């Protein structure tokens, strides 16, 4: 909503009163922008969609999406531009550990210096996908022989079929199935 205010000056003394010309000042409110995410927690490699809602602004407006891997603070210098547009689809390649990333959008509109706004911040937790490495392979052994298997798991818990949880398991098969 724009509003207009008019101003003029008046000067007077005992001899006369004088009025200046009328100056009209147009008051243009800043636009506002809010964002929201379709998910607060996702698995790495799974996309998350953020949408923006712009209210106000005059002229052509551009929504710039930004990410910060460190802080939600508006003044933090780690905000990095991602892309422009009303919506943002973002996915994170699998990482070593769970990571929270912060997103915001900034809008700049043509017309005058009032047309700038920064949105709220949405924080998204990207859970790392488990990675399993092992030396498991089909093998032939004699009954009663001991086999030792090794497995390592990043970003998850390791559990063997006998419910043990160490990285090594030794078995002595006594019969075939």
């Amino acid at each position: 909503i724009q509003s207009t205010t008019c101003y003029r000056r008046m000067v007077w003394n005992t001899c006369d009163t004088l009025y200046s010309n009328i100056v009209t000042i147009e008051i243009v409110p800043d636009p506002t922008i809010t964002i929201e995410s379709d998910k607060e927690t996702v698995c790495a490699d799974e996309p998350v969609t953020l949408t923006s809602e712009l209210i106000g602004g005059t002229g052509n407006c551009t929504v710039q999406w930004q990410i910060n891997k460190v802080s939600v603070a508006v003044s933090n210098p780690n905000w990095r531009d991602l892309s422009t547009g009303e919506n943002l689809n973002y996915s994170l390649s699998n990482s070593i550990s769970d990571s929270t990333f912060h997103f915001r959008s900034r809008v700049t509109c043509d017309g005058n210096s009032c047309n700038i706004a920064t949105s709220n911040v949405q924080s998204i937790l990207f859970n790392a996908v488990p990675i399993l490495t092992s030396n498991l392979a089909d093998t032939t052994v004699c009954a009663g022989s001991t086999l030792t298997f090794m497995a390592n798991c990043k970003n998850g818990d390791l559990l063997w079929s006998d419910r043990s949880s160490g990285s090594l398991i030794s078995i002595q098969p006594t019969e075939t199935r």
Side-chain angles (χ1 to χ4, degrees), residues 48-84:
V48 63
T49 300
L50 293 112
T51 56
S52 66
E53 181 180 356
L54 174 63
I55 299 172
T58 56
N60 294 322
C61 298
T62 302
V63 176
Q64 174 69 62
W65 290 93
Q66 296 182 320
I67 188 170
N68 191 325
K69 300 176 184 181
V70 178
S71 171
V72 298
V74 173
S75 61
N76 186 280
N78 294 306
W79 288 102
R80 301 289 177 251
D81 290 345
L82 289 174
S83 64
T84 58

Side-chain angles (χ1 to χ4, degrees), residues 42-120:
V42 297
C43 292
D45 298 325
E46 181 183 345
V48 63
T49 300
L50 293 112
T51 56
S52 66
E53 181 180 356
L54 174 63
I55 299 172
T58 56
N60 294 322
C61 298
T62 302
V63 176
Q64 174 69 62
W65 290 93
Q66 296 182 320
I67 188 170
N68 191 325
K69 300 176 184 181
V70 178
S71 171
V72 298
V74 173
S75 61
N76 186 280
N78 294 306
W79 288 102
R80 301 289 177 251
D81 290 345
L82 289 174
S83 64
T84 58
E86 291 181 29
N87 301 325
L88 174 68
N89 293 311
Y90 187 83
S91 61
L92 177 70
S93 296
N94 199 22
S95 62
I96 295 172
S97 62
D98 297 347
S99 301
T100 299
F101 294 96
H102 314 287
F103 298 87
R104 73 179 185 185
S105 62
R106 300 193 70 199
V107 64
T108 305
C109 301
D110 298 340
N112 64 54
S113 61
C114 299
N115 284 318
I116 299 170
T118 301
S119 74
N120 56 303

Side-chain angles (χ1 to χ4, degrees), residues 37 39-41 72 100-103 121-125:
S37 171
K39 301 170 195 151
E40 293 179 8
T41 303
V72 298
T100 299
F101 294 96
H102 314 287
F103 298 87
V121 174
Q122 286 285 304
S123 298
I124 311 292
L125 173 62

